[in-house]
Amino acid sequence: MIGSVALPLGWVWVRIDKVSNVGTGATPLKGNPKYYESGAVSWVTSGLLNELFITKVEEKITELAVKETNAKVFPKHTLLVAMYGEGKTRGKVSELLVEAATNQACAALVFGGEASKLRPFVKLFLQKNYNDIRRLSSGGVQPNLNLGIIKATKVPIPPLNEQRCIVAKIEALKARSQRVKEELEAIPALLDQFRQSVLAAAFRGDLTADWREKNPDVEPASVLLERIRAERRRRWEEAELEKMKAQGKTPKDDKWKEKYKEPAADTSNLPAIPKSWTWATLPEIGELNRGKSKHRPRNDPALFGGSYPFIQTGEIRSANGVISNFSQTYSEFGLKQSRLWSKGTLCITIAANIAETAILGFPACFPDSIVGFLPETSGCDVRFVEFFMRTAKNDLERFAPATAQKNINLEILRVVAIPFPPLEEQQKIIAAIERYFSIAEAIERMLSENSEQIQHLEQSILAKAFQGELVPQDPNDEPASVLLERIRAEREKLDTKKKAKGKTEKKSCKAKPEPAKPEQLSLPGFE
């Protein structure tokens, strides 16, 4: 707890209000144009205190707002403490590097005269211990801090020379830490570029160039594609014959076979690919259809609560390639108005998140905002198609209309051309992509671990600083108690002057009233 820990030799615990003037601002009446329109006074609210320094303030109030309300203008280098605020804002500390007025959600700590020498160290202590300050909050649903709590908060004060050494050491270490953080923060974008480069190389044939050279006699993909087409036609004819048989019909000739429509494919004006590859569209190498969710309203409780997984667009986005979890299920009634797609189906979103893809890890239903692709298992690996769709995502997004809810349609997906290698090479490409991606994932894990270590290191450094272990102590340094005694005497002298001035002004106010000025906390150095 703040103020309850034994301190190194020469250090002293002191209340914040003994070394600074603690005050707060107020909010001029909202909606009053004379207080806000064309204002020139910087206006700080507690939400800005997530920054360590406030160097620029967009929101302004007018000088009239300061004159006519309880708003106060605080000088540069005032420390602000957030007393209210949702999330983790409450308790945060920031230093004003501009003159600014604040609202009542901020406590303002103004240091002047001898006390201004303490400000850098006090700021670091409060920033390090803001969670302890937060825990002092009181209230009901939304607990808050108040000026009484802020004033009574104790801070440790080392000898002045030691303070300066500690602050300088921490600032130097923080600068090094920040450089490392910035370098680490750049890595995720580089890894994304790396993955895109891997995929681009894969679908140009670069990743398997050596394999093709060593395996020149592999059956060309064009032959495989013809076999897939023939197999699909054979199954269609069998299904049509079964329909006619069920209706008691017997075909007299083969004219009925002319109803079959081969999937159209325009592969002209496409980039060059290896000779053993061919261009193909998704309908040529598998089934491509939208999900089903016919019943209205879509949120009818009767649709849900059964044993059939129901997948939605958000679960595809978060799947990282394979869908292994679900949060919603269909009932028997839900299944009847939908379709249960088999494990291994490639799911492609066509609404909201355009062209996000993932493969079903279990049988599941999904709505018509998702397209399902079931490849011909004899000649197409669904993982190959899923990786390719990641490269095509940006191009597909361009087809989405510029509306609030972006959508593409099934027809757009039907004409997407995919570079199609022999099956064995598809699997070699998948293995190469997964190998490179696993390297990227390992780097991401290391990045996460290193980021956590930096956080722990920073906290450890600050803890050592306030235990007197960060810099060597000099027994010849002036004890903090001597500095605090000078500050106490200076504040008493200032209080005496203020009381005397107040009495003088009270006597003369009837004769000559002074014009109103913006209210500002008065401390040595800010008069």
Side-chain angles (χ1 to χ4, degrees), residues 118-371:
L118 307 180
R119 176 181 43 76
F121 186 84
V122 172
K123 180 181 70 173
L124 286 175
F125 178 79
L126 294 178
Q127 288 173 342
K128 189 269 178 184
N129 292 282
Y130 97 96
N131 273 322
D132 288 333
I133 297 173
R134 279 171 57 82
R135 283 192 280 270
L136 298 174
S137 303
S138 61
V141 177
Q142 179 63 56
N144 295 311
L145 296 166
N146 58 52
L147 282 183
I149 293 172
I150 301 298
K151 289 178 178 180
T153 299
K154 291 184 177 181
V155 295
I157 303 298
L160 184 57
N161 185 54
E162 190 174 347
Q163 288 183 48
R164 290 168 175 160
C165 292
I166 290 171
V167 171
K169 184 74 171 180
I170 289 176
E171 293 300 331
L173 292 172
K174 283 173 68 176
R176 290 173 59 185
S177 174
Q178 184 60 31
R179 287 195 296 270
V180 173
K181 284 181 181 179
E182 289 171 357
E183 290 173 359
L184 292 177
E185 287 170 358
I187 292 175
L190 294 175
L191 290 176
D192 286 343
Q193 292 175 16
F194 170 73
R195 289 187 176 97
Q196 289 302 314
S197 297
V198 168
L199 292 173
F203 296 104
R204 286 195 307 263
D206 295 354
L207 298 186
T208 45
D210 291 343
W211 181 87
R212 284 194 304 277
E213 188 175 345
K214 294 175 183 177
N215 297 271
D217 299 327
V218 171
E219 177 185 78
S222 57
V223 177
L224 170 61
L225 186 58
E226 286 302 319
R227 192 162 57 247
I228 290 173
R229 288 170 174 166
E231 177 64 18
R232 181 192 295 105
R233 176 159 193 145
R234 183 188 63 77
R235 287 202 305 270
W236 179 86
E237 290 177 357
E238 288 178 355
E240 288 296 304
L241 285 172
E242 285 296 322
K243 288 180 186 178
M244 287 187 282
K245 183 178 179 181
Q247 295 170 359
K249 298 178 181 179
T250 302
K252 297 179 181 179
D253 49 39
D254 288 342
K255 286 186 177 181
W256 61 276
K257 294 181 181 181
E258 296 175 2
K259 295 179 182 179
Y260 179 77
K261 293 183 178 180
E262 194 73 50
D266 180 6
T267 57
S268 59
N269 300 318
L270 292 172
I273 53 176
K275 290 182 180 179
S276 58
W277 295 24
T278 190
W279 286 100
T281 59
L282 294 178
E284 287 184 291
I285 56 177
E287 179 193 356
L288 187 72
N289 272 308
R290 293 179 71 167
K292 289 183 180 180
S293 185
K294 296 179 180 179
H295 185 75
R296 296 295 183 273
R298 293 177 184 267
N299 61 351
D300 187 340
L303 295 169
F304 305 103
S307 58
Y308 305 102
F310 177 65
I311 301 302
Q312 300 184 73
T313 57
E315 287 159 317
I316 296 173
R317 160 162 278 192
S318 61
N320 193 27
V322 177
I323 301 171
S324 55
N325 297 298
F326 57 92
S327 58
Q328 187 66 276
T329 59
Y330 261 164
S331 63
E332 292 291 342
F333 175 69
L335 177 63
K336 286 180 181 178
Q337 56 86 56
S338 186
R339 170 181 173 177
L340 190 67
W341 293 77
S342 62
K343 176 182 177 180
T345 298
L346 173 61
C347 298
I348 308 168
T349 61
I350 60 172
N353 307 322
I354 301 297
E356 299 284 353
T357 56
I359 299 167
L360 282 179
F362 43 78
C365 301
F366 47 76
D368 54 10
S369 56
I370 298 170
V371 167

Side-chain angles (χ1 to χ4, degrees), residues 3 11 36 55 175 198 325 452 488 496 499 509 522:
W11 292 40
Y36 292 94
T55 59
V198 168
N325 297 298
E452 290 178 5
R488 184 193 65 76
T496 301
K499 288 177 182 178
C509 65
S522 179

